[in-house]
Amino acid sequence: MQQRAEQLRELQQSLETKDEALQQRNREIKQMRLQTRTYADHHDYNEAETRELLIDVMLRETGWDPAAKNVREYKVSGMPNPSGTGYVDYVLWDDNGKPLALVRGQAYYPQL
């Protein structure tokens, strides 16, 4: 019984530590967002620049490899055009080979 109580205390302490770390990370993210708003971006990015300078960087920062197989320019069928073929700009895949998210890269227009 005492061993079980000790295990529960350790688990509670571990959860509290993780919760504290998560709250700290959320504060850091909020601060970064506030800082980015301070620096308005007035560049007129084309699609290639948007991908290279913004989307690819953000994907790498979150652990995705934009150069991995079947991530960029993934061919799809059933599109509403004469050929019926199109391309998804980015597909993010899970470990089981199923798509988790589709990302559309286009020119970036900051909120001014």
Side-chain angles (χ1 to χ4, degrees), residues 43-52 54 105-109:
H43 291 89
D44 185 15
Y45 295 114
N46 63 33
E47 185 174 355
E49 291 170 327
T50 300
R51 288 175 182 222
E52 179 184 347
L54 300 172
Q106 65 183 76
Y108 173 73
Y109 299 102

Side-chain angles (χ1 to χ4, degrees), residues 69-89:
K69 182 181 178 193
N70 292 329
V71 171
R72 260 194 217 150
E73 293 294 319
Y74 186 77
K75 188 175 181 178
V76 292
S77 59
M79 299 299 290
N81 60 34
S83 71
T85 302
Y87 294 86
V88 176
D89 292 331

Side-chain angles (χ1 to χ4, degrees), residues 50-65:
T50 300
R51 288 175 182 222
E52 179 184 347
L53 300 174
L54 300 172
I55 299 171
D56 287 1
V57 171
M58 287 186 256
L59 288 173
R60 280 191 293 276
E61 285 175 345
T62 57
W64 296 96
D65 179 5

Side-chain angles (χ1 to χ4, degrees), residues 4-107:
R4 179 93 169 129
E6 180 60 29
Q7 287 175 333
L8 288 174
R9 275 192 294 276
E10 288 174 8
L11 180 60
Q12 180 66 31
Q13 185 178 16
S14 173
L15 289 173
E16 287 172 1
T17 301
K18 288 178 182 178
D19 187 50
E20 198 174 293
L22 179 61
Q23 288 177 10
Q24 175 61 30
R25 185 67 179 141
N26 285 338
R27 285 190 293 271
E28 291 170 5
I29 290 170
K30 184 176 182 180
Q31 183 63 35
M32 284 187 274
R33 285 183 179 155
L34 290 172
Q35 288 173 349
T36 25
R37 287 186 189 150
T38 305
Y39 303 101
D41 187 345
H42 299 288
H43 291 89
D44 185 15
Y45 295 114
N46 63 33
E47 185 174 355
E49 291 170 327
T50 300
R51 288 175 182 222
E52 179 184 347
L53 300 174
L54 300 172
I55 299 171
D56 287 1
V57 171
M58 287 186 256
L59 288 173
R60 280 191 293 276
E61 285 175 345
T62 57
W64 296 96
D65 179 5
K69 182 181 178 193
N70 292 329
V71 171
R72 260 194 217 150
E73 293 294 319
Y74 186 77
K75 188 175 181 178
V76 292
S77 59
M79 299 299 290
N81 60 34
S83 71
T85 302
Y87 294 86
V88 176
D89 292 331
Y90 298 86
V91 180
L92 305 180
W93 302 91
D94 71 9
D95 292 336
N96 297 318
K98 297 194 186 254
L100 289 174
L102 307 177
V103 180
R104 180 174 178 223
Q106 65 183 76

